Amino acid sequence: MTASLVIEGVEAGYGGMQVLWGVDMQVDPGQTVLLLRANNAGPLTLAGTNTWILGRAGRVPADPIIVIDPGPVLGEHLASIRDAGRPAAIVLTHHHADHSEAAAALAAEFGIPIHAADPELANGTTALVEGDVIAAAGRELRV
C-alpha cells in the first residue's frame, strides 16, 4: 500500500529555540489527520490552540481517534473533539496549559490514558521516552 502522505526528518523552531527534532509521519489511504483550532486567540496562541485528531476517512462518531494536544476546556472545542470520533488515547506534546488543560477531563470522560513525556501529565501510563510506541485507534505512534 502506498502512503498518501509521508514526511521525514522535520525540524522546526522559532526565536532560536528548536521545538521539533526529526519528526516522521506517514498517513496511509483511509486515514485522516484533522486540525481543530480552539477559539482562544491571544499573543501566544495567535489564531487559537491547535488540536490534532488522528482517525480514518469516512469516520463516524463512534470511530476511535487519537487526540494530540486537546487544548483548553472550552465547550465548543471539546464538542468538536467529540464530533470527530471517540477518543482512544490522548498525547501531550508539551505541558503548556493551552495545549494540555482539557486532557484530564477527556481522559476521565472516556476512561483513556494520557501519554506525555512529563510524568506529572502522564495518566494511566508511564512517562514517554524515546523509542516508546503508543498503540491506539488502529495506529502506532513512535516517540
Side-chain angles (χ1 to χ4, degrees):
M1 178 183 308
T2 303
S4 298
L5 172 71
V6 176
I7 61 171
E8 295 178 334
V10 174
E11 298 198 9
Y14 56 92
M17 178 188 306
Q18 187 165 356
V19 296
L20 294 177
W21 294 265
V23 173
D24 298 336
M25 184 174 95
Q26 177 173 316
V27 180
D28 293 322
Q31 295 180 329
T32 59
V33 177
L34 178 66
L35 170 62
L36 302 176
R37 184 160 290 143
N39 187 14
N40 65 334
L44 297 176
T45 60
L46 303 176
T49 301
N50 293 332
T51 295
W52 296 92
I53 305 291
L54 305 180
R56 68 175 188 85
R59 66 190 188 282
V60 296
D63 284 345
I65 59 172
I66 298 173
V67 181
I68 301 175
D69 292 339
V73 180
L74 296 173
E76 182 179 323
H77 187 64
L78 293 175
S80 293
I81 292 171
R82 290 182 194 103
D83 288 347
R86 186 186 191 295
I90 296 168
V91 178
L92 297 178
T93 61
H94 60 290
H95 69 277
H96 293 164
D98 62 315
H99 290 263
S100 62
E101 184 182 34
L106 284 172
E109 179 180 343
F110 291 98
I112 58 174
I114 300 172
H115 300 274
D118 184 337
E120 292 182 18
L121 296 175
N123 183 356
T125 65
T126 57
L128 293 171
V129 295
E130 188 172 344
D132 281 351
V133 175
I134 301 167
R139 292 182 180 237
E140 286 189 348
L141 305 179
R142 299 183 188 286
V143 178

